Amino acid sequence: MRKTWLFILFTCPFLAIAQPDSTAEEDYSQYDNLDFADVGAKRFCTSKVLDLSPQKLISIGYDFQGPYQLQEDGGSKTDFDYSHGERLQLNLPVVSRNNIIIQAGLNYAAQRYAGSADTNAVLGRNLLDKGLTTLGLNLTIFKPLNEKNFMLFQGSSDLNGDYNFGNFLSPSYLKYSAALVYGWKKHERLMYGFGVSRTYRVGEMNYIPVFLYNYTAPNRKWGAEVLFPARAHYRRTFSSRSLLLLGYELEGQSYRMTSDSIYSYINRGANPAGTTPMNNPELRRGELRIRAVYEKSLKNFIWISAQVGFRYNYSFNVDEVPSGDFFRGFFGTQTYGMENVLGNTFYSMISINLVSP
Amino acid sequence: MKNLFLLLFSISLFSSSQVIAQDSGDRIIGIWEPSNGKARVKIEKIGTRYYGKIVWLKEPNDPETGKPKVDKNNPDEKLQNVPIKGYRLLKDFAFKSGDEWDGGTIYDPENGSTYDCVITMKDNNTLDIRGFIGISAFGRTDVWKRLQTQKK
């Protein structure tokens, strides 16, 4: 009797664990008519369309620009043999829910210059000596409202200037950018939206309307990725692991220059040009990058991105910004402290990326 | 004999707690809908592990070919003709404790990638499916909702 009890006690748990293998063919039509078990559950649209170029969690890149010339206000010249720099981006999902996605990021970009400058080329000499650095934090919030509508917010704070990590810039010089878009997700291959943004992409602070448009063709061989006017690309999808983007990106910031010898040319009539040191000069750098970008998975989630293109200068002027910042827009009449002419050139950039699931 | 009895009793007790744990793990079994609403996934138990297969597609046919969708993004060419419907995209999950199933992987047929994955049951009708690369920080969470037969 004791043996029987022992047998039952010992074997029952294992019998309970045993489960049938349910790999047999089944009638899938039984899954056609189902509802949420949770009565209050809602469906929300997602933040992507099919085949969108992969989002980068970590990106380590290197940017190189060919030779060009800077002609400063007053006529002094600097011949840059090249400029180059490292770029680092980190983007991490902080909240990832059906009804909200919040992502935080870090951005670092350095621009170093090599070449020769005239004695009086104060801006060129400053760039050769110190280069430019950007360090920023950004936040992206995607808020679906239902299956068809969504809100998108992007905000960033950037510290830009001729500083380095040994000689840091005061956080009071942070520049803030933001965009807010209201959009429609028509189907899995199309989403678009309209909004407004405060941006430094043309070098100086500006308030402009924005248009979001992400589309993939029914044959899934091509599409478009647009956040106008910041960037717009035609996308050719070769496979789920390689694609080509053709288009442009506007890139720019307002950089605090710490040099005491950047002179103002603003009062050409009252004072001799170029003899008054500017109070808190800021370089308004804005450029248009017309480019081809090839992206390919090297192994699983490690992607390489290689781009070549033409860097067209939009602005390389200097403003005196004694406190805060001011709005000039496209039609403002405020005079620049220095009006410079920057040559255009080819550029290339390569990056290794860890892409998001 | 007394020692043998104690040993068997201990094993039995351990096994019984396993059974309770396994039963608790079975809460995940059912039909679930990912956030994009494009598919329905049946989570079932095979042996002691949990698996999830696609049992319904919002768009079952490939618009280009007009035929049932196949796993054409699979990096293994031999598997590129396998139908998506019936495909096991969740594999090898073990019930850990509390509300978590781990040790498994999730496959994304949209890009042919397989990710490490942890499943957390937020409530009886909600799963957080976190696919990640190496460490959980490099990942994305999708929220799945439980489905049931339509009430008449």
Side-chain angles (χ1 to χ4, degrees):
Chain A
M1 185 62 189
R2 179 187 283 178
K3 284 182 180 174
T4 307
W5 273 110
L6 281 174
F7 177 78
I8 292 169
L9 199 64
F10 186 62
T11 55
C12 275
F14 294 104
L15 290 173
I17 290 169
Q19 297 285 327
D21 186 332
S22 56
T23 55
E25 283 294 320
E26 59 181 305
D27 175 17
Y28 289 116
S29 65
Q30 65 181 301
Y31 306 110
D32 288 346
N33 300 311
L34 300 176
D35 278 336
F36 283 133
D38 184 353
V39 178
K42 282 178 67 180
R43 291 185 176 91
F44 294 100
C45 58
T46 57
S47 61
K48 299 174 182 175
V49 298
L50 287 174
D51 302 335
L52 204 64
S53 57
Q55 192 180 19
K56 299 166 178 73
L57 293 170
I58 301 176
S59 176
I60 300 168
Y62 176 75
D63 182 77
F64 180 88
Q65 295 189 17
Y68 54 98
Q69 188 182 69
L70 167 65
Q71 184 175 327
E72 297 179 19
D73 210 336
S76 300
K77 292 186 176 71
T78 302
D79 289 309
F80 296 117
D81 298 330
Y82 59 89
S83 60
H84 66 130
E86 317 83 50
R87 296 188 175 205
L88 173 69
Q89 283 185 313
L90 184 66
N91 293 298
L92 289 178
V94 179
V95 176
S96 186
R97 312 283 308 166
N98 284 14
N99 61 355
I100 192 164
I101 296 170
I102 301 176
Q103 188 166 289
L106 173 76
N107 171 48
Y108 168 77
Q111 186 83 352
R112 308 287 173 241
Y113 297 83
S116 57
D118 291 349
T119 309
N120 295 327
V122 288
L123 179 60
R125 286 189 170 278
N126 198 68
L127 292 172
L128 288 170
D129 186 29
K130 297 177 180 174
L132 297 172
T133 301
T134 290
L135 185 63
L137 296 172
N138 54 69
L139 185 73
T140 302
I141 301 173
F142 178 82
K143 174 65 183 166
L145 305 173
N146 49 48
E147 285 183 84
K148 292 292 178 189
N149 299 101
F150 63 88
M151 302 279 288
L152 177 67
F153 170 81
Q154 289 181 326
S156 65
S157 59
D158 296 289
L159 200 58
N160 317 298
D162 58 352
Y163 67 93
N164 56 48
F165 290 107
N167 181 24
F168 214 66
L169 201 61
S170 164
S172 63
Y173 296 129
L174 278 168
K175 297 293 183 189
Y176 300 97
S177 306
L180 184 65
V181 170
Y182 180 83
W184 291 261
K185 180 88 179 271
K186 301 303 281 187
H187 48 74
E188 284 306 307
R189 295 179 290 99
L190 174 63
M191 64 194 296
Y192 58 83
F194 301 93
V196 292
S197 72
R198 170 192 160 111
T199 179
Y200 281 87
R201 281 184 183 268
V202 289
E204 55 197 84
M205 186 177 69
N206 220 325
Y207 295 93
I208 51 175
V210 292
F211 173 54
L212 169 76
Y213 181 78
N214 288 328
Y215 173 71
T216 297
N219 63 14
R220 297 181 63 177
K221 287 188 165 57
W222 67 274
E225 299 183 15
V226 176
L227 185 61
F228 185 81
R231 56 183 169 271
H233 292 96
Y234 162 84
R235 182 188 66 244
R236 176 74 173 90
T237 305
F238 301 115
S239 73
S240 62
R241 289 164 188 270
S242 68
L243 59 95
L244 178 70
L245 298 169
L246 298 172
Y248 79 89
E249 175 153 31
L250 274 175
E251 190 177 294
Q253 279 292 359
S254 185
Y255 296 85
R256 176 68 57 168
M257 309 302 284
T258 56
S259 170
D260 294 329
S261 56
I262 294 180
Y263 299 106
S264 173
Y265 291 76
I266 201 165
N267 297 316
R268 289 179 174 81
N271 299 310
T275 57
T276 311
M278 278 198 224
N279 181 16
N280 288 329
E282 289 198 8
L283 173 63
R284 311 293 204 176
R285 170 175 170 254
E287 59 194 36
L288 176 69
R289 291 180 167 219
I290 301 160
R291 62 190 188 176
V293 186
Y294 179 66
E295 300 197 339
K296 180 178 172 54
S297 168
L298 293 177
K299 185 174 173 59
N300 297 331
F301 316 107
I302 308 293
W303 282 57
I304 189 170
S305 173
Q307 59 176 285
V308 292
F310 187 71
R311 197 270 292 137
Y312 176 81
N313 178 59
Y314 177 82
S315 168
F316 212 72
N317 298 332
V318 182
D319 265 328
E320 189 169 13
V321 188
S323 61
D325 207 340
F326 62 89
F327 174 65
R328 178 186 282 115
F330 294 110
F331 308 106
T333 56
Q334 298 97 323
T335 310
Y336 289 101
M338 286 179 79
E339 292 188 12
N340 308 309
V341 179
L342 190 75
N344 305 315
T345 188
F346 72 89
Y347 85 97
S348 61
M349 187 157 76
I350 191 162
S351 65
I352 299 291
N353 310 288
L354 179 69
V355 303
S356 171
Chain B
M1 187 62 200
K2 190 179 176 184
N3 287 342
L4 178 63
F5 181 79
L6 279 173
L7 176 67
L8 290 174
F9 183 73
S10 302
I11 292 170
S12 168
L13 210 60
F14 172 72
S15 304
S16 299
S17 66
Q18 267 198 322
V19 171
I20 293 165
Q22 296 290 350
D23 286 347
S24 186
D26 287 356
R27 288 174 296 147
I28 200 175
I29 291 172
I31 315 298
W32 300 86
E33 183 176 296
S35 68
N36 60 26
K38 292 193 297 183
R40 290 170 182 168
V41 177
K42 180 182 182 181
I43 296 182
E44 54 197 349
K45 189 176 184 182
I46 300 173
T48 58
R49 300 263 171 170
Y50 298 87
Y51 297 78
K53 70 174 177 181
I54 296 170
V55 293
W56 180 90
L57 288 168
K58 188 176 182 180
E59 193 179 54
N61 293 334
D62 188 328
E64 203 174 358
T65 63
K67 294 178 179 172
K69 283 182 176 173
V70 292
D71 189 20
K72 60 183 180 184
N73 292 319
N74 198 307
D76 184 344
E77 283 184 18
K78 293 194 288 285
L79 300 175
Q80 289 177 353
N81 288 320
V82 174
I84 292 289
K85 194 183 277 187
Y87 201 97
R88 282 220 163 83
L89 77 168
L90 296 175
K91 283 183 181 172
D92 290 327
F93 285 85
F95 179 57
K96 189 178 176 186
S97 62
D99 296 313
E100 196 169 297
W101 290 256
D102 68 0
T105 59
I106 185 166
Y107 175 74
D108 184 354
E110 296 292 357
N111 57 26
S113 296
T114 301
Y115 306 93
D116 296 322
C117 187
V118 170
I119 302 175
T120 307
M121 183 172 271
K122 305 305 285 185
D123 59 55
N124 198 39
N125 297 322
T126 309
L127 296 179
D128 274 5
I129 308 279
R130 183 158 187 86
F132 58 94
I133 305 163
I135 59 172
S136 182
F138 297 135
R140 184 170 65 84
T141 302
D142 196 35
V143 181
W144 291 17
K145 289 289 185 182
R146 190 189 291 274
L147 299 172
Q148 64 181 15
T149 308
Q150 281 181 351
K151 288 174 184 165
K152 295 177 181 173

